[in-house]
Every structure is written in C-alpha cells, then in structure tokens.
Amino acid sequence: ASVNISQALVMLVMERKAEIAILKANGASSTFIVACFLTSGFITSVLGLLMGIPIGILISIHINEILSMVEKILNYIFYYFGFFFAAMDVYSEIRLLDPAYYLESIPVVLNFGELFFVATITLILSLVVSIIPSIKAGNEKPLAIMRKI
C-alpha cells in the first residue's frame, strides 16, 4: 500500500508541475508545497485504512461462508457446463476445505491490538514514502517549468 501511495504521489507531482510552478511564482513556499503533498499522502493512507480494515475484518469473519459459496459456484459450473467441454461420465464434487486433507473450517481469531499496530505502521510507512515525492515537488523551479509550457 505504501509503494502504491508513493507511486501515486510521483505521478501527481509530474502531472501538477504547472500548478506547482504557478503557486511558487505567486509566492508559495517550498515547505507549503511539501506539506500539501504530505497531507495528500496521509489522507490517502487514512482513507485506505478506513475502507480496508472493515472490509478485511468482514472477509476474515465470513471466510468459511465465502469458501462454501465458492465451492457451490464451482460445483455448479463443473456439473452443468463440464458436459459441454469434456466427456465427463462421473462427476466428483469439488471441496476446497476437504476434512481428509485440511481443516473442515478455517478458525478465525481477531486480535485488535495487532490490527491497531498494523494500521499505525501503515500510516507511518505512508508518510515516510510520501516524503521524497513531496520534497521533489517543493524543489521544482518555477521558471524552468514555465519555459517548457
């Protein structure tokens, strides 16, 4: 996630060079521009966490039901459409969690302390990887950019 945020900020800096040059020509300081891009990276990571953690918790709580549904869909596909593609005389049911080889169900234990730790580290890493593109945006020379436009 942090690498994606960094790449998104690099692309944002490249796309917004003209706007950065206009801001700097009108008196915006380099620290203001760096702060704007750091804020953008931080907000992106916070929104990603606010969407990702609840979705991840829901999927992990209901993983057994999800796998059961995938089994039913695969069995339906192979039973009804398998006859068209192969000469299937005998149909064997697909089991993703076969008790003979694996667990019959996946045990799920959520530790909210670990989730908080992962969320905190993600925010810190997102800020760290946002520093380099933000500094590059702050170091842009307005005159050189304006000449290219």
Side-chain angles (χ1 to χ4, degrees):
S2 297
V3 172
N4 287 336
I5 289 173
S6 175
Q7 291 300 319
L9 281 178
V10 166
M11 294 301 296
L12 187 65
V13 169
M14 290 174 57
E15 291 173 356
R16 303 288 181 200
K17 280 188 178 184
E19 288 88 351
I20 294 169
I22 292 170
L23 284 172
K24 289 187 101 176
N26 286 326
S29 66
S30 295
T31 56
F32 172 74
I33 293 179
V34 169
C36 287
F37 281 97
L38 278 176
T39 304
S40 173
F42 181 74
I43 289 173
T44 303
S45 63
V46 167
L47 290 176
L49 280 173
L50 289 177
M51 289 184 341
I53 287 180
I55 291 171
I57 289 172
L58 282 174
I59 288 174
S60 64
I61 289 173
H62 298 291
I63 190 68
N64 293 315
E65 291 86 3
I66 292 170
L67 287 176
S68 174
M69 183 179 65
V70 169
E71 282 179 354
K72 288 178 184 176
I73 291 170
L74 286 175
N75 285 322
Y76 175 80
I77 289 171
F78 286 133
Y79 182 75
Y80 287 108
F81 296 112
F83 293 112
F84 296 120
F85 299 114
M88 294 176 55
D89 294 335
V90 179
Y91 169 72
S92 61
E93 186 176 299
I94 295 173
R95 302 246 332 146
L96 296 177
L97 293 176
D98 194 359
Y101 302 108
Y102 307 105
L103 298 171
E104 193 167 330
S105 65
I106 297 174
V108 177
V109 177
L110 289 176
N111 186 347
F112 289 102
E114 290 178 1
L115 284 174
F116 179 75
F117 176 73
V118 168
T120 304
I121 295 299
T122 301
L123 285 175
I124 291 169
L125 284 175
S126 297
L127 280 175
V128 168
V129 300
S130 299
I131 290 173
I132 293 174
S134 299
I135 291 174
K136 284 186 179 182
N139 290 337
E140 292 288 338
K141 305 293 181 208
L143 188 58
I145 295 171
M146 293 295 211
R147 284 182 185 160
K148 291 180 184 177
I149 297 176

